[in-house]
Amino acid sequence: MRQLWTNGVIYTMEYEWEIVQAVLVESGKILATGTLDALQPLADEIIDLQGAVMYPGFVDSHLHMIGHGEKLKRLDLTHAKSGEQLLQLIGEASNKLQPGQWLIGEGWNENQFTDSTIPTKEQFDMVTSHPMYLNRICHHVALVNSAALEQANISSTTPDPKGGKFGRTEDGQLNGLIYEQAMNVVSETFQQQGEAYIDSLVHSLELAIADMQQYGLTGGHTEEMSYFGDYTNPLTAYHRTIGVHQHFRVNLLRHHAVFEQMNEQQASFNEPFIEPGAMKFYADGSFGGSTAALLEPYANDPTNKGMLIHTNDQIETLVQLARHYNEAVAIHLIGDAGVEQVLTYLEKYPVPQGKRDRLIHCCYISDCQLQRIKQLPVILDLQPAFVTSDFPWVLEKLGHNRAGHIYAWKTFIEQGLICAAGTDAPIEAISPFETIYAAVERKKAGDTHDGYDAAQKLSRYEAVRMYTFGSAQAICKEHERGLIKEGYDADFTILDRDLLTCASEEILQTIALKTVVAGKVVYERV
């Protein structure tokens, strides 16, 4: 059955402003693009876009899909405006739990607290006796209470794990804050195994996919193979959802903790809907938790340079491991010290032919580091919404006069680097429209200023292309995805307005009318 999509604005995204009248599709592939007169005789079915705007399928280049689905099920703390309100939300949620049940929340952010005060462990103990685990919005810091520490067998004498730390008071007692790898010590306590647990992961994944599809997303590059017990747990969940329905495309980054095991056990995938991705590891933390690694100390804390997750020898071993299996690496990098540590080994051990290493976030790099990055076959996996989340407080941490490139998306593109766009959901909102708005305006809706570092604003075309062609380049699929072009996958995002021409505030009001994967409508707004 040959379908002809027509009667709308169809952007190919190969060149700025390039549009076609019609797209002919068969068996999930684009057979041809061109005029209605030329293609209509070849079609068995006409699909009328009724004036809607069609793009290549939007793909979130970096997120944690199961985590996003779990956020939809967990206690949402993103709207807490004070430490007092956070305590109130915990107390209310605690009353609804069964005896012994964990209280898990997502998204608190002290930078939006009017009192700037993070509640203490003792304060949480007063409002709940349930073991409690509250992810900060960045997922590099969490808050726990005494019950959680007790279940995880953590006391004031417990040493900090490598690549992490337990927050402490001046007299050495635990204060309820846990950082980086120390978070795993607690979270592993409420990990499960068995069919019931896999069913819960399937449910989370189904919620995430449905949520993403309603924003026009046709796929995502996701990482969670080591966060839910054995890697077979999340991988099985993907097979039971996407593997069965084939209604979404995922590229699964593989955490270094399970990467070798997955290769040795020849973990199965289901291409082209479930694809194996690069080996993922973290170089440092986050600015929100003051754990992003810096070469010079934080401006507001001269004793702190952040935290490198691994030693130099460990980083070298990780890169060698990926190369042993002919694979690229995907590295979380926030601060310039993490970038400096990693670049040495990417230069020493080149990526295999036909692949690209992925540098994730790249929030602060020096000019010298930028020049080195330009010499490498890499892509920059960027999260434009970080600007609207992190400014202006991030400048208080970095200092207003720090040299280098800070959230410099425009500079990266102008320097010829390949850039893809994602949300890091559940860290940021999954909406691509919020991300695109952040990329082109660099401010929150309603702000009256011209944008944070306005010179770094992207054009509409650049922002949308990062979601389409850029995401395809991130996994070296730019010859078959990311454009509306003959021979490419028929993945389409169909919207109610033109993101390239509408008023900037209208970007945030955009509605996805249809989401199409491999020529099949997988979401349609009723």
Side-chain angles (χ1 to χ4, degrees), residues 457-490:
K457 290 181 178 180
L458 300 186
S459 71
R460 308 288 187 87
Y461 174 72
E462 288 168 336
V464 174
R465 190 170 164 89
M466 285 170 66
Y467 254 108
T468 53
F469 195 63
S471 290
Q473 289 176 300
I475 55 174
C476 298
K477 296 282 186 180
E478 67 267 30
H479 302 297
E480 56 187 286
R481 294 181 198 160
L483 299 175
I484 294 181
K485 186 176 181 178
E486 180 181 341
Y488 280 59
D489 288 330

Side-chain angles (χ1 to χ4, degrees), residues 2 26 37 78 128 140 185 195 233 245 288 387 404 503 523:
R2 291 185 173 184
E26 184 179 36
D37 288 344
T78 57
T128 181
H140 289 266
V185 181
E195 282 299 310
N233 291 334
H245 302 294
V387 172
Y523 168 81

